[in-house]
Amino acid sequence: MRDDRKSRTRAEERLVPDGVALSLQEAAAWDLFDVNVRVGPSGVHGELALEPAELLQEMDDFYIRSALVSHWAAEEYDAAIGDEALARIAEPRFTPAWGILPEASFIDALAVCKPLAVRITPGLRQHSFSLGRWCAGPMFEYLQDRSIVSLISRTDITWDEVAALLENFPRLPLVLLDTGYRADRYLFPLLDRFPSLHFDTATYLAHRQLESVVEQRGSGQLLFGSRLPLFTPASAIGVLASARIAEPDKRAIAGDNLRRLLAQAKARTGVQA
Amino acid sequence: MRSPIPVLDCHGHIGFHPDFPAYKADAESMLAVMDLMNIEKLAITSTLACYNDCPRGNAEIETVLRRHPDRFLGYVTVNPNPPGQGVEELERWSSFHHPPLIKLHPGLHKYPVHGEHYKPIWDYANEHEAIVLVHTWDSDPNCGPLLFPQIARTHPRARILLGHAGVTWRGYMQAVEAAKVAPNLFLDLAGSQHHRLILERCVDLIGAERILFGSDMPFLEASMTLAHVLTARIPDAGKEQILRHNFLSLLSR
């Protein structure tokens, strides 16, 4: 006979103690799909970095079923080496968000993997390239043509660069990560103009901000992100759990929107669902 | 999501902010959110005072306290400039709470927390055994956590809450280092960077009795900090201290 106690996750055991109890448990019903996760050793965040098994345990603890995962090495060191490390993980709960560079040879090599998602790191202290057509035009044509989910942290580019990128590639499924809570005066005009733009919840943390944006604009362009392994997922889950919005909106943010984007990429790249 | 025990929240505001739109920031809307999460009381400071005008801002606090005396506690927010105004404001609004709750924002007021103009305010806080919530930020020359041990030692009767606990991972470690050497320094958890493992580390290094729940409502979302505390890998007794008992103890002294 199955031992129910042993089959519970550590989260269920920890979150329902005798004293202070918490109900993030409603997240168990959301089929959480985290858009903002990195794995592997980090030269900057070594203390917090997680190897794949540790990351899975952390996801279990917070009811996160799936994650779009990139490798720290692809961001901090070499995109190809990071992608190789990511490929070796081969964990079915992880969808790779590959590192990518604008060189044609890099794109050709990456195409063999039939990528569904990439994490673009163009910053001066990362891979140092412009998002303009003159520099990365073919790369973005490739991503746009295949509806590949394209993650960029807002901390790596300016709002004007986001606008210019979307003006050049309006069908690119761009996911802006780490917008911060001071984003709205920049973000809302872009969301109005570009339905292909999405953003994640990891740092969208002002008072009643998520709830209000859903009330005013709907939930279609919001994706759940935790920023694991740096932040505790509790924060982003807590914000979603406490939002006074309809359950279908919560599920859309929690994972359905990202699954929809990935399904589009699968359809365009010929990857079997 | 709701706290199983009534929360006493040491860090809140009334008002708007210049750099992004405020949502549901009036007192009644905040009360609804407090009820949602089981936040019994919220200690508020005027955002107007933090950014621009202390006398007018503190008057806003009085209005809210008069309307909702059972749900809000009021900080008197003071600015070291112009010199002398701070103590005038503290005396003007001395009815808000005993012991006094004082809010300092050296970051926005752009004056070092250990500077000469703050001295009369620290002396007042020491004399009245005030609870002083100070905005802090990692290594900031005006309000970095490492500036506080000296202030705390020379004003031992003041109870000083390191607002945001320095914010970043390094800022938290600075706040812990400060708290280790001065028993009247406490960490406030309000902030936008809830690093994994940070709360467990702080409890391990200085004990849960030195950490207070703060939301920064209606600037930041209270549920992110509440969820962080409730899911932390620390004993339940520590969570109860953080969510309620530590602030209650300071208020009751």
Side-chain angles (χ1 to χ4, degrees):
Chain A
M1 180 184 287
R2 189 175 171 193
D3 183 340
D4 283 343
R5 184 174 173 78
K6 282 184 181 172
S7 71
R8 292 192 310 177
T9 67
R10 284 201 293 139
E12 287 165 313
E13 291 174 358
R14 195 182 65 244
L15 301 181
V16 193
D18 294 329
V20 173
L22 167 69
S23 273
L24 286 186
Q25 284 175 302
E26 63 185 289
W30 292 343
D31 199 4
L32 274 166
F33 198 150
D34 191 336
V35 74
N36 191 351
V37 177
R38 294 150 165 136
V39 72
S42 165
V44 181
H45 310 284
E47 197 166 11
L48 294 170
L50 294 171
E51 292 298 331
E54 298 167 321
L55 177 58
L56 285 167
Q57 183 63 67
E58 194 75 3
M59 289 166 60
D60 283 344
D61 282 2
F62 289 95
Y63 310 105
I64 300 170
R65 298 225 177 106
S66 312
L68 210 55
V69 178
S70 57
H71 200 283
W72 280 116
E75 183 174 340
E76 294 179 350
Y77 179 51
D78 181 83
I81 288 174
D83 285 350
E84 288 165 15
L86 192 59
R88 283 195 296 273
I89 294 171
E91 163 55 49
R93 291 170 65 190
F94 298 165
T95 298
W98 307 98
I100 189 168
L101 298 174
E103 290 94 311
S105 60
F106 194 99
I107 297 166
D108 289 343
L110 183 61
V112 174
C113 301
K114 294 194 172 181
L116 300 178
V118 294
R119 183 186 280 254
I120 304 165
T121 51
L124 283 176
R125 294 183 179 179
Q126 299 164 318
H127 297 312
S128 297
F129 59 90
S130 166
L131 304 182
R133 275 192 179 279
W134 61 272
C135 183
M139 181 182 89
F140 285 113
E141 294 287 1
Y142 170 81
L143 297 172
Q144 178 174 256
D145 287 348
R146 289 157 184 78
S147 297
I148 294 170
V149 178
S150 301
L151 314 181
I152 302 183
S153 173
R154 219 298 295 159
T155 58
D156 297 337
I157 57 173
T158 67
W159 286 103
D160 285 339
E161 286 175 312
V162 177
L165 176 62
L166 288 166
E167 282 163 1
N168 283 331
F169 304 97
R171 293 179 292 105
L172 179 74
L174 181 67
V175 178
L176 203 55
L177 305 176
D178 312 324
T179 61
Y181 53 89
R182 291 180 166 93
D184 290 352
R185 291 189 181 121
Y186 303 100
L187 186 59
F188 289 176
L190 291 172
L191 293 171
D192 285 340
R193 284 185 62 195
F194 302 106
S196 63
L197 175 63
H198 295 69
F199 66 104
D200 91 316
T201 62
T203 59
Y204 199 65
L205 299 168
H207 173 72
R208 296 294 107 185
Q209 190 173 32
L210 184 145
E211 176 181 289
S212 298
V213 76
V214 172
E215 289 169 354
Q216 295 170 16
R217 319 177 64 86
S219 58
Q221 289 169 288
L222 267 161
L223 308 177
F224 170 78
S226 70
R227 219 164 176 245
L228 267 170
L230 304 182
F231 286 5
T232 170
S235 294
I237 296 173
V239 172
L240 188 56
S242 77
R244 294 166 292 188
I245 58 177
E247 196 62 22
D249 286 317
K250 287 190 180 181
R251 288 172 183 266
I253 296 166
D256 289 351
N257 289 340
L258 180 54
R259 277 184 283 273
R260 168 175 48 81
L261 291 177
L262 290 170
Q264 290 168 2
K266 284 176 184 171
R268 297 295 290 268
T269 55
V271 173
Q272 297 296 312
Chain B
M1 191 194 61
R2 182 175 169 82
S3 170
I5 65 166
V7 175
L8 296 181
D9 185 340
C10 76
H11 190 154
H13 291 265
I14 281 289
F16 308 108
H17 19 271
D19 42 358
F20 63 99
Y23 302 104
K24 305 177 184 182
D26 60 283
E28 283 66 32
S29 296
M30 289 165 60
L31 283 169
V33 173
M34 291 162 62
D35 290 342
L36 182 72
M37 294 178 211
N38 199 16
I39 297 174
E40 179 186 345
K41 291 188 180 185
L42 173 65
I44 52 173
T45 175
S46 160
T47 310
L48 171 62
C50 290
Y51 279 95
N52 176 247
D53 186 335
C54 285
R56 282 181 57 213
N58 290 325
E60 291 180 346
I61 297 295
E62 186 199 35
T63 302
V64 175
L65 296 181
R66 194 178 297 144
R67 278 170 32 210
H68 304 287
D70 298 331
R71 302 301 303 277
F72 293 106
L73 301 162
Y75 286 99
V76 182
T77 303
V78 293
N79 190 330
N81 288 310
Q85 186 198 70
V87 172
E88 283 177 18
E89 281 296 294
L90 291 168
E91 289 172 346
R92 179 184 176 201
W93 305 110
S94 61
S95 61
F96 278 7
H97 196 271
H98 303 283
L101 304 179
I102 302 174
K103 171 67 185 279
L104 309 179
H105 206 309
L108 287 175
H109 293 154
K110 300 187 188 307
Y111 189 85
V113 71
H114 56 316
E116 188 64 25
H117 295 182
Y118 269 121
K119 190 172 185 314
I121 296 165
W122 284 118
D123 289 342
Y124 182 98
N126 190 56
E127 181 184 348
H128 293 83
E129 300 187 0
I131 298 168
V132 187
L133 173 63
V134 193
H135 176 91
T136 68
W137 194 278
D138 172 3
S139 307
D140 189 295
N142 288 330
C143 56
L146 295 177
L147 299 174
F148 286 86
Q150 178 64 23
I151 294 170
R153 277 193 292 255
T154 53
H155 304 87
R157 296 166 69 194
R159 282 80 56 76
I160 303 170
L161 314 185
L162 300 173
H164 314 296
V167 182
T168 67
W169 180 278
R170 185 175 64 178
Y172 261 84
M173 290 301 102
Q174 293 172 354
V176 164
E177 191 179 332
K180 273 183 171 177
V181 298
N184 53 333
L185 290 177
F186 301 83
L187 274 59
D188 153 42
L189 294 179
S192 61
Q193 298 185 23
H194 286 275
H195 283 98
R196 202 169 60 79
L197 308 178
I198 194 71
L199 183 50
E200 290 84 347
R201 181 72 57 87
C202 291
V203 169
D204 184 46
L205 292 171
I206 58 172
E209 66 274 16
R210 303 287 295 283
I211 302 169
L212 281 71
F213 175 84
S215 68
D216 214 354
M217 183 193 309
F219 192 83
L220 295 174
E221 173 54 47
S223 58
M224 69 166 150
T225 305
L226 181 59
H228 187 185
V229 175
L230 290 174
T231 60
R233 287 130 172 151
I234 60 174
D236 286 350
K239 295 176 186 177
E240 293 179 359
Q241 286 178 294
I242 291 167
L243 292 174
R244 181 175 180 85
H245 299 305
N246 292 339
F247 196 31
L248 186 62
S249 172
L250 293 178
L251 291 167
S252 304
R253 203 186 302 174

